[in-house]
Amino acid sequence: MLSQNRRLRHLHGIYLRNLSFTKPHGRASDDLDADLPSTKPQQDSNTQLHHARSSESLRPRANARRRSTTLANTTPVTRHKQLEYTVESRAADVFFSLHCDGDEDPIYISEVGQRSMNFNFRFFDLSSAGPSVTRLSEVKVRLWAKRRTSWTLLLSQDIDLRALHYLGSMRNHHFPPNCLIFHLEDGMYSLDLASKRPEPKQTAPLPSSSYNALMKLSNLNNSIQDALATREALAAQINSLLESTPHDTVPQAQESAHLASTYLSTQRRSVRAAQTRRDDLKASIQARREAIEEGRSAQLRAADHVEHAQSKLPASQALISATRESIHGQRRRICEDLAHIFPITPAPSGAPLSFSICNVPLPNSDYDPASSSSTEDSLSAALGYVAQLTHALQFYLCVPLSYPITPFGSRSSIRDNISLLPETQRDFPLFPRGGANAQYRFDYGWFLLNKDIEALCVSAGLKIVDIRHTLPNLKYLLYVCSAGTDEVPERKRGGIRGLWAGRLKGRAGMGSSLASTDDGASSAGGSRRGSMDSEILSGKQRDTLNRALGRENGNGSGDHSRQSSIGPAGRQRPASPVRLPFDEGAVKLSLRTKGLRENVGAHV
């Protein structure tokens, strides 16, 4: 680029090299190693003056040598302090600003470089400053430095871009103190260093603009400048007219009135909303007060109920305790009765943990599948007894079984409603049958029966060692449930009196088919000696029942001990009186719960 064509628009960056705060004393920086005469005036008038020699013509002295042992004999602390002093005396925070003539404000301010001696400031673009700045060739550069606390002006230098010397690059150059290097579009330039002829570019020659094109461009630029000047003049005239015209306050007042009316309507709506909110709050508060009053009255009633219930609490607690004791006693009695009904005794074989139920031996889930049919029948009968006993215990102990049992003698079964099985395969037999699948189903059914017995034992607080011990676990359960220090309560006397009429009516309908006895006892049922059933059928009631039964059999009159009728031949024929259902007789009876009796013998 030709020197006369350099402008500020071509400037993109500035570098600072060899920062220094010392002022020069009339010598160059390399004069220290040169043999130069002293700058002090000589007293001898005969001394002749010599021309100053430049740095290129300086030659080192023949006997001069470098002083490299200045800090050799010092301590490390001294050397460290000396280095810190050297760095502190040379390094600083620096930034620069660019100024133009006729303008006090800078056209550009760089960023701050931190603690260094050589600075590479960021590139910048001055095209936003306008053509009045970008077309200039001269600029003032000011360097500002901060060594400790305050900023000071370090260097102020007027730079003419047309007088800069081309460097090409910053390598292999010895920079003087505070040397400024300018980065233009075509390379590096400096004012302090010698110029270097730029290498010619190996490019094809480009056609330049003609004179007419340049004139058109100049005319266009002048037109633009005239338009800008006209715009500024029109703006000044408009501003002067606005200043001279009196201010009209009517539109502003109208706008203020409209704004005030808008605010007024908004505030009225707010007031109406606040009033509605106030009414709602009053209604809500009133409803809450009523609810509080109702709650207080309910609380008082509840307190009265609690007070009344507290007076009954000891009696209720005593009743609950007595009921629990009664339930426990009844359960003891029932378990003792069940232990007598289904006696579990040691097996005749004498093997350990071998028991029999109702004199039918039952192994502990271990038997030979190839046994005889009599052994299978015995096993089925024993499991039927165990199923019947387990099924009864679930109701008396109030423990629902996980696997329901269907007691049916030696053909009992058990159901699994928990496992993922087809609905048709949920019932498992408790009796052995032929076939491998039947054997598996029988073993699984026995396992489910043992699980039910385990659930009953767990409900009673017992710990089962092995669930395969069917009869030992069951006997242990009956023993624990029937154990206790108190006496076993007696069975409630009486019976189900509602069954009397049904039994009497059934016996009366049988007619003469009923056999008569001298004492009038019935084989259909009877009462235990000393019970209310035997005591209530005495005296007139027994005679009344005998007479009623005799009339239903066809006899108009009857005696409480014997009935007789006269046949066609005139001889007396004895008639068999009907036995009473609750009379004492020479028949075998079995005792049931709640006074219910059942005839287990035959008619006499």
Side-chain angles (χ1 to χ4, degrees):
M1 182 185 298
L2 298 177
S3 60
Q4 61 270 19
N5 294 334
R6 297 170 189 162
R7 300 291 185 270
L8 283 180
R9 63 176 177 269
H10 301 141
L11 181 62
H12 296 301
I14 295 179
Y15 305 111
L16 176 63
R17 290 293 181 270
N18 198 8
L19 178 64
S20 176
F21 292 94
T22 58
K23 296 181 179 181
H25 297 285
R27 286 187 178 183
S29 60
D30 53 355
D31 288 346
L32 298 175
D33 297 331
D35 188 9
L36 297 177
S38 176
T39 56
K40 294 182 180 181
Q42 299 292 332
Q43 299 295 332
D44 191 1
S45 59
N46 297 326
T47 304
Q48 297 180 356
L49 297 179
H50 298 277
H51 294 282
R53 290 178 290 181
S54 62
S55 59
E56 285 82 1
S57 61
L58 294 178
R59 295 289 183 272
R61 292 177 298 179
N63 298 328
R65 69 174 183 174
R66 298 176 60 90
R67 296 181 180 181
S68 59
T69 59
T70 305
L71 302 176
N73 297 326
T74 59
T75 61
V77 176
T78 304
R79 289 198 299 270
H80 182 70
K81 289 184 178 180
Q82 186 66 25
L83 291 175
E84 285 184 352
Y85 175 75
T86 303
V87 172
E88 184 68 23
S89 62
R90 299 295 300 272
D93 298 342
V94 176
F95 74 93
F96 71 90
S97 59
L98 301 180
H99 302 263
C100 294
D101 293 339
D103 193 358
E104 297 179 357
D105 297 330
I107 60 175
Y108 177 76
I109 299 177
S110 70
E111 75 280 1
V112 177
Q114 300 291 335
R115 304 294 297 173
S116 180
M117 297 174 58
N118 301 313
F119 298 90
N120 295 333
F121 297 102
R122 297 176 185 173
F123 285 2
F124 52 86
D125 186 9
L126 300 178
S127 60
S128 60
S132 58
V133 175
T134 57
R135 294 179 180 180
L136 297 178
S137 299
E138 297 179 359
V139 66
K140 178 179 290 186
V141 180
R142 291 181 179 178
L143 287 177
W144 304 84
K146 183 179 75 171
R147 301 179 65 180
R148 292 179 178 83
T149 57
S150 60
W151 291 92
T152 58
L153 180 60
L154 178 63
L155 177 65
S156 180
Q157 188 173 4
D158 293 331
I159 303 297
D160 188 355
L161 299 180
R162 294 169 295 184
L164 295 178
H165 302 156
Y166 179 76
L167 298 179
S169 65
M170 291 188 296
R171 290 178 298 181
N172 301 323
H173 289 284
H174 182 75
F175 299 102
N178 299 330
C179 179
L180 292 176
I181 300 172
F182 299 90
H183 185 92
L184 273 67
E185 289 183 351
D186 57 343
M188 305 289 184
Y189 291 84
S190 176
L191 191 62
D192 300 331
L193 299 178
S195 177
K196 179 181 179 182
R197 184 179 296 276
E199 298 179 358
K201 296 181 180 180
Q202 302 296 330
T203 59
L206 298 177
S208 60
S209 301
S210 62
Y211 176 78
N212 294 331
L214 293 177
M215 291 303 296
K216 288 181 179 180
L217 184 60
S218 177
N219 294 334
L220 182 59
N221 186 18
N222 294 332
S223 300
I224 292 173
Q225 296 298 327
D226 294 339
L228 293 175
T230 305
R231 185 189 65 177
E232 293 177 359
L234 290 176
Q237 292 179 4
I238 292 172
N239 292 331
S240 62
L241 289 176
L242 291 176
E243 291 177 357
S244 61
T245 303
H247 182 63
D248 189 4
T249 59
V250 174
Q252 185 177 2
Q254 291 177 353
E255 184 179 359
S256 300
H258 178 68
L259 185 60
S261 63
T262 304
Y263 286 161
L264 180 60
S265 60
T266 303
Q267 291 299 323
R268 286 177 179 175
R269 287 195 298 269
S270 300
V271 169
R272 285 195 296 270
Q275 290 176 353
T276 305
R277 176 64 177 168
R278 180 199 59 188
D279 297 338
D280 293 341
L281 290 176
K282 285 184 178 180
S284 177
I285 291 172
Q286 184 63 27
R288 292 182 182 181
R289 287 176 180 173
E290 294 176 357
I292 290 172
E293 293 297 331
E294 293 179 359
R296 287 177 179 174
S297 61
Q299 187 177 3
L300 292 176
R301 290 194 300 270
D304 295 339
H305 292 333
V306 169
E307 203 175 312
H308 182 64
Q310 285 180 352
S311 62
K312 295 183 179 181
L313 181 60
S316 300
Q317 291 178 347
L319 180 60
I320 291 174
S321 178
T323 305
R324 287 177 179 173
E325 293 295 332
S326 177
I327 291 173
H328 180 65
Q330 292 297 330
R331 284 180 177 174
R332 286 179 54 201
R333 182 185 61 77
I334 291 170
C335 290
E336 187 175 352
D337 292 344
L338 290 176
H340 288 299
I341 295 171
F342 300 95
I344 301 175
T345 58
S349 62
L353 295 178
S354 296
F355 291 88
S356 60
I357 180 169
C358 296
N359 296 325
V360 180
L362 178 65
N364 293 324
S365 301
D366 185 14
Y367 72 99
D368 187 9
S371 58
S372 61
S373 59
S374 60
T375 305
E376 292 182 356
D377 294 341
S378 175
L379 183 61
S380 301
L383 288 178
Y385 287 133
V386 173
Q388 180 67 36
L389 180 56
T390 307
H391 182 71
L393 282 175
Q394 72 169 333
F395 301 108
Y396 296 135
L397 299 181
C398 297
V399 179
L401 297 179
S402 302
Y403 307 100
I405 301 173
T406 305
F408 199 68
S410 61
R411 288 298 180 265
S412 301
S413 63
I414 191 168
R415 185 176 178 83
D416 184 6
N417 293 325
I418 300 176
S419 302
L420 297 176
L421 295 173
E423 193 65 25
T424 57
Q425 299 180 7
R426 290 188 180 276
D427 293 328
F428 296 89
L430 293 177
F431 52 90
R433 293 184 296 184
N437 188 22
Q439 180 65 33
Y440 159 73
R441 294 181 63 81
F442 168 68
D443 293 338
Y444 188 69
W446 197 349
F447 167 73
L448 296 181
L449 180 61
N450 291 333
K451 292 297 290 183
D452 286 344
I453 296 174
E454 181 188 14
L456 294 175
C457 294
V458 170
S459 66
L462 305 180
K463 185 177 180 180
I464 301 302
V465 178
D466 193 352
I467 66 172
R468 295 177 299 177
H469 298 163
T470 305
L471 288 180
N473 294 337
L474 202 55
K475 184 175 180 60
Y476 184 31
L477 175 64
L478 291 175
Y479 177 76
V480 172
C481 291
S482 61
T485 58
D486 300 335
E487 295 183 359
V488 178
E490 297 181 357
R491 182 194 302 272
K492 292 184 179 180
R493 294 185 178 183
I496 304 178
R497 302 178 184 178
L499 297 178
W500 289 1
R503 286 179 174 269
L504 292 177
K505 186 175 180 180
R507 297 302 180 185
M510 293 176 61
S512 60
S513 63
L514 296 175
S516 60
T517 57
D518 293 338
D519 56 357
S522 173
S523 64
S527 301
R528 188 178 52 180
R529 294 182 181 272
S531 65
M532 294 180 63
D533 298 339
S534 60
E535 292 174 359
I536 200 169
L537 292 177
S538 61
K540 295 181 180 181
Q541 293 181 356
R542 185 184 297 275
D543 297 339
T544 303
L545 289 175
N546 287 331
R547 287 194 296 271
L549 292 175
R551 283 195 299 270
E552 293 183 1
N553 290 332
N555 299 322
S557 61
D559 189 68
H560 68 280
S561 62
R562 191 180 299 275
Q563 296 290 337
S564 63
S565 61
I566 307 296
R571 59 185 179 86
Q572 190 174 4
R573 177 167 56 86
S576 297
V578 180
R579 297 179 181 177
L580 296 177
F582 297 97
D583 200 1
E584 297 290 341
V587 294
K588 294 182 179 180
L589 304 175
S590 65
L591 198 58
R592 296 297 181 188
T593 61
K594 297 293 184 178
L596 180 62
R597 277 76 175 174
E598 183 179 4
N599 183 18
V600 295
H603 294 286
V604 179

